[in-house]
Amino acid sequence: MLKIANISHRTAALAAALVLASMSSASAETLFEKAKASRTAVVGIANEKPYGYLETDGTMKGVIIDVLRAALKPIGIDKVEANVSEFSAMIPGINARRFDIIGAGMAIRPQRCESVAFSSPISRLANVVAVKAGNPHNIHSLEDIAKSGTLKIGSQIGSSQLADLPKAGIPEDRVVSFALDTEAIAGLKAGRVDAIYFPSLQLSDLIQNFGDGVVERAEPFQVAKDDKGNPLYVFQAFGFNKEDSDFVNALNVEIRKLNESGELLKILEPYGFTKEDVPDPNLTAAQLCSGS
């Protein structure tokens, strides 16, 4: 009886060890491996045109989503699902694992790089200003707003362009932050602000869809410059949890292929991008994160 009991105990121990090994193997599987196995990635979007948004029938569209689908397909991930959050919730969301990829047109900024891993950039844009038709305050630069002493400017909570405003000398009490870009243009029309400041593509889409003929881009407009006098551009990319380096590396390979083949520009063009808006394929997120 003792011999049988020992065999039984050894069998149970072996079974338990196999279960634990299986559990350990499953827990060691990376997000990228899980996404490839399920052929599915969950993308965080802010429901903003033209970047990533849902149609009334639930279909996800947008320029960032189109680029993402093209980059994921060769990897074997052909299903993209949406998780809609406010833009300001994108970084907390990716770090809380509420979605796999940030697909909201987020710009690479050194401060953000402390919390998020970025892919290689997929677009290069400048921030510009919209004003009421006729540009009644003659605004052609951020400095025009700063030196006025009274004019107010609005933008979106959590957006990268907000950092340009204090650099241009605009005090905090003359900056109005809105939760949504649509709220910002509504604020301009209502007179809550005298101008709004957004990436050019986003602003053009806002004016086209919500300007109602009373809002226009301020032209000409002097793009904000850095400390060395170079124009400040917004480089948009996909965002990841910092633990997902294998996913980032795989996607970067496909982004480079899209860029060098000209396919990236073909995807961007229907949304109003030009060849000037396509970044150098050699430019990396690491360079932009370091500020170089």
Side-chain angles (χ1 to χ4, degrees):
M1 290 294 292
L2 181 60
K3 185 176 182 180
I4 294 174
N6 286 339
I7 292 173
S8 177
H9 287 155
R10 286 198 299 270
T11 301
L14 179 59
L18 289 172
V19 169
L20 288 173
S22 176
M23 290 175 63
S24 176
S25 175
S27 62
E29 190 177 34
T30 68
L31 174 71
F32 180 44
E33 291 167 337
K34 292 175 183 177
K36 286 194 295 182
S38 65
R39 305 184 68 91
T40 303
V42 180
V43 184
I45 61 173
N47 211 24
E48 293 177 343
K49 296 181 178 181
Y51 304 125
Y53 60 96
L54 296 180
E55 293 282 19
T56 54
D57 63 358
T59 304
M60 182 165 48
K61 293 187 177 181
V63 61
I64 302 298
I65 302 305
D66 286 355
V67 175
L68 181 61
R69 285 189 172 119
L72 288 176
K73 188 173 181 180
I75 297 172
I77 301 173
D78 50 21
K79 185 177 180 182
V80 179
E81 298 178 350
N83 181 301
V84 180
S85 302
E86 288 190 356
F87 187 84
S88 58
M90 288 292 118
I91 291 178
I94 197 73
N95 287 327
R97 297 286 188 187
R98 288 196 288 272
F99 38 83
D100 306 330
I101 306 170
I102 297 174
M106 182 171 283
I108 301 174
R109 294 288 192 185
Q111 186 175 5
R112 285 180 178 156
C113 296
E114 297 174 6
S115 304
V116 177
F118 283 103
S119 72
S120 297
I122 60 173
S123 70
R124 184 189 77 171
L125 296 172
N127 293 320
V128 294
V129 158
V131 294
K132 285 188 175 180
N135 198 357
H137 299 292
N138 201 29
I139 296 170
H140 296 286
S141 67
L142 293 180
E143 286 72 20
D144 288 339
I145 295 173
K147 68 185 180 183
S148 73
T150 58
L151 297 178
K152 293 184 178 182
I153 188 167
S155 198
Q156 187 173 7
I157 296 172
S159 63
S160 61
Q161 62 265 18
L162 281 172
D164 295 347
L165 305 182
K167 292 178 182 177
I170 302 174
E172 186 177 346
D173 62 358
R174 289 199 281 125
V175 175
V176 180
S177 297
F178 296 90
L180 300 172
D181 56 359
T182 49
E183 291 180 3
I185 194 167
L188 173 59
K189 290 191 290 186
R192 289 184 59 193
V193 293
D194 304 290
I196 57 175
Y197 187 58
F198 283 92
S200 56
L201 195 70
Q202 185 174 1
L203 196 65
S204 295
D205 189 80
L206 279 173
I207 293 171
Q208 179 180 348
N209 291 290
F210 304 102
D212 298 326
V214 298
V215 174
E216 65 184 27
R217 275 183 60 168
E219 294 182 338
F221 184 77
Q222 184 177 329
V223 176
K225 293 181 173 57
D226 62 19
D227 297 337
K228 299 178 181 178
N230 300 313
L232 286 171
Y233 290 106
V234 174
F235 292 90
Q236 296 174 311
F238 302 110
F240 290 81
N241 188 292
K242 278 184 167 289
E243 296 179 357
D244 298 330
S245 58
D246 56 342
F247 209 156
V248 177
N249 293 337
L251 200 67
N252 282 344
V253 170
E254 301 306 324
I255 290 172
R256 187 180 186 97
K257 290 178 183 177
L258 290 172
N259 195 331
E260 293 181 336
S261 69
E263 187 63 26
L264 179 59
L265 177 58
K266 289 181 181 178
I267 297 171
L268 298 177
E269 279 181 324
Y271 293 91
F273 289 84
T274 70
K275 63 181 180 180
E276 296 299 320
D277 300 320
V278 178
D280 185 326
N282 295 312
L283 184 64
T284 67
Q287 290 172 308
L288 294 170
C289 285
S290 68
S292 62

